Amino acid sequence: MLRVSEHFHKTDTGRQRKSNEDNLFARPPVFAVADGMGGARAGEVASRMVREALEAGLPDGGSAEERLAERAREANRAIHDLALSNPSQAGMGTTLTAAYVGEDAVSLAHVGDSRAYRLRDGQLELLTRDHSLVGELVRRGKLTEQEAEEHPQRSVITRALGPEPDVEVDTWSYPAQAGDVFLLCSDGLTSMVDEAHITQLVREHGDLAQAGQALIEEANQRGGRDNITVVLFRLEDVSGPATAAPAPTGEDRPTQVDLEPVTAEQAREAAAGGQEGLAEASTAAGQGDRTAAPRRTAPLPRREPAPDPPRRRRRIRGLRTALVVVVVAATILTGAWIATRAVYFVGAEPEGFVAVYRGLPYEGPVGLRLYERTYVSAVPISELPAARRRTLLDHRLRSREDAQDLVRKLELGQVDA
Ligand code: MN
């Protein structure tokens, strides 16, 4: 059975912000980080409401994941309702990354871009998936981690507690063992200090208080552009050596170890994945199955089935096969190219604005795109209600008039939410 043997928590305003809109909660077995956003210090209100929700304890019944998620959904409703009743707090929101230490696993509930990591045997492992514009692009291979760190939209998050009446909360349970150190942190840490340095600093310092201080100092030394919040806890086993769950190493992210109802929810979300409003055209590779675009964009390798004809004939036959393949491929590609001229779709371009594309929302295996951008609107997708994004940016093929009309209406604010 696991228990928290040591923990540390601290939030720091950083060097450039006037106020601290982060909040944290650290009362074993529950830990959390919340990073608020919204004008007129409303972010501070939102993240504090999350902390207060946790101070009331977790609801009874259900798995740890369900209990954490339920608290998160309640906080979401409370923040949303308050924002509706107070114009100066309109649109306020907060991230939440919460952890619960169970008997042999740590359960997480997560919304936004605060993160959870596990350090085991000197290896740092990211346990959460950022709900952010750049996070989605990184996962689809469209941005490198490096590019994401410098991306102008890196702070745009695609999910938060507060802005919408309902929120989908990601949950996981990770097998844990004695000696594991967990880190929850706001993006004020991860945007300033890379993972290699985080690993090094936690490893270097034997006790978590020193490690935590070092992380915050490092973020400040590198500019401290945002509020920095760090929560660290270490686990020990209090039931003897035999009961620690043998945790798989390596590729277990994200993993559900229990088969409780939340797992189904998780599966549903995974299925809905890719559509949570980001539907970016530039990242349509995962949606290739929606269209019948030809996959053969590279010259096919020659393959000769005949086992042993004389050498010369074999070469002639090979040449002939190659020629046929090239002609067929060219015909298919030409046909597809003509077809793509006639269709349009609406998506979001990499900077996060709604755009009109001509062609098919598909990218070939060698980076050959079957679409081109014809118009970029002034409407950021972040301004669309999440529920609408899904239907507006679904990459449905449209006529040119239809696509242009839709975007024009968006610009004029005529599409009802
Ligand atoms: Mn932040």
Side-chain angles (χ1 to χ4, degrees):
M1 197 174 122
L2 293 168
R3 190 174 67 181
V4 175
S5 61
E6 178 194 5
H7 68 276
F8 168 84
H9 54 88
K10 187 174 182 184
T11 182
D12 186 278
T13 306
R15 292 207 169 149
Q16 303 202 3
R17 299 279 167 94
K18 288 203 181 76
S19 63
N20 191 342
E21 305 207 327
D22 285 2
N23 258 292
L24 61 83
F25 181 81
R27 195 183 293 165
V30 179
F31 299 89
V33 165
D35 177 352
M37 65 214 67
R41 303 183 80 165
E44 210 177 316
V45 174
S47 67
R48 193 175 59 232
M49 286 175 76
V50 168
R51 194 191 69 210
E52 287 165 358
L54 291 169
E55 279 167 356
L58 295 187
D60 291 331
S63 66
E65 290 180 38
E66 286 172 317
R67 296 166 71 202
L68 286 171
E70 181 53 30
R71 265 294 170 270
R73 287 189 293 265
E74 285 167 15
N76 178 72
R77 275 190 294 273
I79 295 165
H80 188 72
D81 289 348
L82 184 62
L84 286 182
S85 69
N86 188 347
S88 74
Q89 294 172 332
M92 71 176 167
T94 181
T95 69
L96 170 64
T97 300
Y100 175 90
V101 180
E103 290 199 354
D104 55 8
V106 170
S107 299
L108 299 173
H110 167 73
V111 171
D113 67 349
S114 301
R115 291 181 177 177
Y117 289 94
R118 177 178 64 197
L119 187 83
R120 171 182 293 174
D121 301 331
Q123 302 288 327
L124 191 73
E125 202 184 342
L126 177 62
L127 306 178
T128 48
R129 285 200 262 194
D130 292 355
H131 299 132
S132 68
L133 197 58
V134 296
E136 299 287 345
L137 294 175
V138 168
R139 278 197 289 285
R140 297 196 161 99
K142 299 297 159 185
L143 279 184
T144 62
E145 293 281 355
Q146 189 68 38
E147 287 165 339
E149 277 162 26
E150 281 133 33
H151 199 281
Q153 312 284 329
R154 66 184 171 278
S155 60
V156 174
I157 63 174
T158 50
R159 228 192 274 180
L161 299 185
E164 305 277 342
D166 292 300
V167 68
E168 205 165 348
V169 181
D170 283 356
T171 62
W172 298 276
S173 288
Y174 288 92
Q177 64 191 37
D180 284 351
V181 172
F182 286 78
L183 163 67
L184 310 182
C185 58
S186 62
D187 68 331
L189 176 70
T190 48
S191 62
M192 305 309 296
V193 186
D194 62 37
E195 293 181 354
H197 274 92
I198 292 175
T199 311
Q200 192 192 330
L201 288 169
V202 179
R203 264 156 55 172
E204 263 173 19
H205 296 89
D207 87 80
L208 295 183
Q210 287 174 358
Q213 288 289 359
L215 289 173
I216 289 173
E217 270 162 36
E218 186 71 13
N220 274 324
Q221 230 140 59
R222 291 174 186 228
R225 282 200 295 256
D226 194 3
N227 307 143
I228 308 148
T229 300
V230 169
V231 171
L232 285 162
F233 56 94
R234 194 194 309 276
L235 301 181
E236 65 180 355
D237 194 342
V238 290
S239 58
T243 54
T249 53
E251 306 288 357
D252 59 344
R253 183 179 85 81
T255 300
Q256 297 100 41
V257 291
D258 50 7
L259 294 169
E260 288 167 308
V262 171
T263 312
E265 189 179 317
Q266 198 62 44
R268 213 169 348 113
E269 199 202 333
Q275 298 178 17
E276 63 188 54
L278 273 178
E280 58 311 284
S282 62
T283 61
Q287 314 201 355
D289 50 346
R290 279 198 201 179
T291 61
R295 283 164 185 276
R296 262 175 287 157
T297 48
L300 293 179
R302 261 191 281 162
R303 188 170 290 149
E304 296 169 54
D308 54 8
R311 203 165 249 170
R312 209 167 48 112
R313 286 188 54 193
R314 184 152 63 178
R315 201 177 300 139
I316 289 169
R317 242 214 282 183
L319 281 173
R320 212 161 55 192
T321 308
L323 193 66
V324 168
V325 165
V326 166
V327 169
V328 168
T331 309
I332 291 172
L333 282 177
T334 309
W337 185 81
I338 290 168
T340 63
R341 301 293 87 190
V343 292
Y344 290 74
F345 62 95
V346 174
E349 47 85 75
E351 302 281 284
F353 291 94
V354 176
V356 176
Y357 293 83
R358 174 157 74 176
L360 298 171
Y362 179 69
E363 210 160 292
V366 288
L368 180 102
R369 289 174 170 193
L370 295 177
Y371 57 84
E372 62 184 340
R373 195 158 62 208
T374 60
Y375 178 72
V376 179
S377 77
V379 181
I381 54 160
S382 56
E383 274 190 14
L384 305 177
R388 287 301 288 169
R389 279 181 223 154
R390 210 163 290 169
T391 49
L392 290 174
L393 309 177
D394 60 357
H395 291 174
R396 204 178 66 191
L397 298 181
R398 301 168 189 272
S399 70
R400 185 172 63 158
E401 290 70 29
D402 190 24
Q404 286 177 345
D405 208 45
L406 175 63
V407 171
R408 213 169 293 132
K409 278 187 182 150
L410 274 179
E411 288 180 319
L412 296 172
Q414 289 172 353
V415 174
D416 53 323

